Amino acid sequence: MKTTSKGFCVSSIIFMGLMFSVLSYSQIALDDVVSRWDFDQGDGAQDSVGGHNGELNGDPKLVDGKFKKAMSFDGKSFMKVDPEPFKFNDPQNFSVSVWVRVKVRSGWQRIYNCWRWGGYFLGELAGNGGLELRMERNVPNCDVNPAGCLLIPVDDVPLGDWIHVAFSVDWKDEVRLYANGEEKASSKIDGPFKYWSRLHNENTTVDTLGIGARIDNGPTEFFNGDIDQLVVFSVALTADEIETIFESGLGDVLAVSPNGKLAVTWGTLKAK
């Protein structure tokens, strides 16, 4: 009996340790996930969380991805999504996380584009400059306000390799841009995004969310490469949360988190 009791106690301690280890992972309420495109279901355009399914244009293809499948864009294809759920502004914080594999460097290429001559986008910078996050705020453009342009240097974006890119926007703090879990740039936020067209007037709102291209004035600036696990959050992710996503990918959905909410737990399922 003593041996059994000791064995039971040891097993209990191990079990409890494992349980608390799982609960120690960074957790985000499911309600804070606006959209999640894994490119694993159907034709790849399905949003598995928010139901904001995309419309494929051209001939993007599903290929082997960082995790399961990814969407491969050939420099003349894209995915179009209703932009309304993604037009964030003060006081609504938000973040975007995505795996990207750049195949060709050939001028401007839009990866994630919520923009109509204003707004925000993530893309390959012209002139082989790296990856840029550009934000149109209360100034005419990025040339006037260089702090609105955050850059991942080209040396951190090797052709043909997967790179995890994320950015978080906290209106009371800063916007931060990350590559492979490491912060690369940040800036203060000095005003709301402008979702309008300078070609027309301030009442012309952004009417497109493009994945793989700029489609408010085209389509133009096509991306030539692969995209996997594109997720949009309605919170500003912390540095630790972004690092965990990079290290472990997107995890399972737990039934209940410690605070009683449904939660997404990073690092429990899809390890690198």
Side-chain angles (χ1 to χ4, degrees), residues 4 36 55 72-73 79 138 140 152 203 231:
T4 303
R36 172 175 170 172
E55 174 188 318
S72 184
F73 297 91
M79 189 169 91
N138 62 348
I152 297 174
N203 296 319
V231 188

Side-chain angles (χ1 to χ4, degrees), residues 55-61 71-80 103-104 106 108-110 211-215 218-227:
E55 174 188 318
L56 298 178
N57 291 260
D59 190 28
K61 297 183 182 299
M71 187 66 77
S72 184
F73 297 91
D74 56 6
K76 52 188 177 182
S77 58
F78 61 93
M79 189 169 91
K80 181 178 180 180
K103 292 183 178 178
V104 175
S106 58
W108 293 103
Q109 299 184 64
R110 302 286 178 104
I211 297 172
R214 175 181 180 177
I215 54 178
T220 58
E221 301 177 20
F222 294 95
F223 179 57
N224 198 320
D226 304 330
I227 298 176

Side-chain angles (χ1 to χ4, degrees), residues 23-193:
L23 295 181
S24 69
Y25 283 116
S26 190
Q27 294 182 327
I28 300 170
L30 188 59
D31 287 347
D32 293 334
V33 181
V34 179
S35 287
R36 172 175 170 172
W37 294 281
D38 287 321
F39 307 108
D40 294 336
Q41 302 86 24
D43 63 3
Q46 287 72 31
D47 169 9
S48 62
V49 173
H52 306 300
N53 297 336
E55 174 188 318
L56 298 178
N57 291 260
D59 190 28
K61 297 183 182 299
L62 292 176
V63 298
D64 290 339
K66 177 67 178 179
F67 304 99
K68 295 185 179 179
K69 295 296 183 181
M71 187 66 77
S72 184
F73 297 91
D74 56 6
K76 52 188 177 182
S77 58
F78 61 93
M79 189 169 91
K80 181 178 180 180
V81 182
D82 177 6
E84 288 303 317
F86 309 96
K87 290 160 54 178
F88 303 104
N89 240 326
D90 188 10
Q92 179 59 67
N93 296 336
F94 72 102
S95 304
V96 174
S97 167
V98 62
W99 285 91
V100 177
R101 181 163 57 186
V102 179
K103 292 183 178 178
V104 175
R105 291 196 172 101
S106 58
W108 293 103
Q109 299 184 64
R110 302 286 178 104
I111 296 168
Y112 178 90
N113 184 85
C114 189
W115 179 275
R116 186 176 177 89
W117 287 100
Y120 62 98
F121 72 82
L122 176 70
E124 175 78 358
L125 185 63
N128 297 338
L131 292 182
E132 179 189 46
L133 171 63
R134 179 172 294 202
M135 300 158 293
E136 186 78 358
R137 304 196 293 228
N138 62 348
V139 291
N141 56 52
C142 193
D143 298 328
V144 175
N145 179 25
C149 304
L150 304 184
L151 184 66
I152 297 174
V154 67
D155 289 346
D156 292 324
V157 192
L159 288 178
D161 290 349
W162 284 107
I163 175 176
H164 179 254
V165 180
F167 63 89
S168 65
V169 178
D170 185 335
W171 293 96
K172 294 182 179 179
D173 183 21
E174 291 187 323
V175 55
R176 302 178 187 277
L177 179 62
Y178 299 80
N180 288 342
E182 180 181 349
E183 183 178 319
K184 293 296 181 180
S186 65
S187 75
K188 293 290 184 182
I189 304 176
D190 55 9
F193 295 141

